[in-house]
Amino acid sequence: MNPAGTGARRVQGHTVNDQTGELPGRGHIEIDGLTKTFASDAGDITAIEGIDFDIAPREFVGIVGPSGCGKSTLLRCVGGLIAPSTGEVRIGGEVVTTPDRRIGYVFQKAVLLPWRRVLDNVMLPFEVMRRPTEEDRRKAHEVLEMVGLAEYLQHRPGELSGGMQQRVSVARALAVEPSILLMDEPFGALDAQTRDLMNLELLRIWQESQTTVVFVTHDIGEALFLSDRVMVMSARPGGVQDVIDVDLERPRTFEQVEADERFWSLRQRIREQLE
Ligand SMILES: Nc1ncnc2c1ncn2[C@@H]1O[C@H](COP(=O)(O)OP(=O)(O)O)[C@@H](O)[C@H]1O
Ligand SMILES: [Mg+2]
């Protein structure tokens, strides 16, 4: 059966695209009344409270907020790494309960297997899914080239700088072409020049793909440069303080954005809220 004439077929009640194996609508994230409380010796800590937010497929959403306001907690709930206390997250209409291989995750600090070479670290998600194909290997090479590490395929993580290790993490997350990419201050530890390159590269990849990106950063300029919308979170317990539409044309360049009055006024608006 081929309902749309697009190479799609029905599997367990879902329409699956034969080319990508993706479920349509997977990139749609609904956050509904999300609250997370942690138990601690000093009593319970409510990290985030009553967050309602809807992210469209293919949207690029930035999240900024003061340190400790629950940005990472929010992202972990979206990625199914931790369970909400109340409320829920739905992806493509399904409640998130566990991590999903169709969600890519990049943490602040690279999480790599030290005994595996760079290429084998990037191959790991494929190995978890299936017996890797030639196409998977080609993809792994491609993403490593994209992040500027083509010369380091056979190095071990310990032989690379922190910034290079982080680029391996980004490559690994991108290799499987995830429907959703969750990034938690991924470029915070990179030098300014590498970070600018990674920002441009990320936008290029995002524009060419079907990926929804949720990008946490403490850098307001970075959030505005990258995002369609920026969520500003209030101090703990974190909630949605403001949502900003970034109506800057794409594709964006640093020169263009920095010459744009709207960028500076949005930056000022967010700054005032974070003071
Ligand atoms: N696993 C945990 N156990 C207890 N408290 C936690 C845990 N994770 C986060 N917290 C607390 O929740 C609050 C929000 O943390 P986090 O989400 O890491 O903030 P952010 O990423 O915005 O800096 C902080 O007060 C933090 O100490
Ligand atoms: Mg954090």
Side-chain angles (χ1 to χ4, degrees), residues 220 232 265-275:
I220 301 170
V232 183
S265 79
L266 290 176
R267 188 162 170 268
Q268 186 57 25
R269 171 167 154 195
I270 299 177
R271 270 199 161 170
E272 280 163 12
Q273 299 187 76
L274 294 184
E275 264 162 15

Side-chain angles (χ1 to χ4, degrees), residues 19-205:
Q19 267 84 51
T20 62
E22 292 297 339
L23 303 171
R26 282 293 306 183
H28 182 202
I29 305 172
E30 295 164 282
I31 301 167
D32 203 349
L34 192 68
T35 296
K36 178 68 185 180
T37 300
F38 294 106
S40 85
D41 294 342
D44 290 353
I45 294 173
T46 297
I48 51 175
E49 191 163 41
I51 296 186
D52 294 311
F53 201 69
D54 212 276
I55 300 174
R58 301 200 63 178
E59 194 176 13
F60 199 124
V61 169
I63 299 180
V64 296
S67 175
C69 76
K71 301 181 293 297
S72 296
T73 302
L74 171 58
L75 214 60
R76 282 167 183 275
C77 288
V78 173
L81 303 180
I82 56 174
S85 303
T86 56
E88 64 184 26
V89 176
R90 291 184 300 276
I91 290 179
E94 287 170 31
V95 177
V96 173
T97 52
T98 52
D100 186 315
R101 68 168 175 81
R102 286 162 299 195
I103 299 179
Y105 217 116
V106 181
F107 299 91
Q108 198 165 354
K109 208 167 168 296
V111 188
L112 302 172
L113 298 178
W115 60 88
R116 280 192 157 223
R117 296 174 193 278
V118 164
L119 180 63
D120 297 328
N121 263 286
V122 174
M123 286 300 292
L124 192 65
F126 292 122
E127 292 171 22
V128 171
M129 277 190 264
R130 56 176 174 253
R131 186 148 171 247
T133 61
E134 263 319 298
E135 171 64 15
D136 295 340
R137 295 190 74 78
R138 195 196 55 70
K139 189 73 199 174
H141 278 91
E142 181 191 312
V143 287
L144 279 164
E145 193 163 319
M146 212 151 62
V147 299
L149 292 176
E151 319 274 282
Y152 296 89
L153 304 181
Q154 301 305 328
H155 285 62
R156 290 186 211 281
E159 298 163 351
L160 306 181
S161 71
M164 290 160 88
Q165 292 183 29
Q166 187 62 330
R167 279 144 67 195
V168 178
S169 300
V170 172
R172 185 182 52 193
L174 291 172
V176 296
E177 299 178 347
S179 320
I180 294 175
L181 193 52
L182 305 177
M183 309 185 85
D184 194 351
E185 306 200 28
F187 306 144
L190 303 184
D191 63 85
Q193 202 183 344
T194 310
R195 180 186 194 164
D196 284 355
L197 277 176
M198 295 298 289
N199 276 334
L200 289 172
E201 208 45 50
L202 176 62
L203 280 189
R204 193 183 62 73
I205 292 159

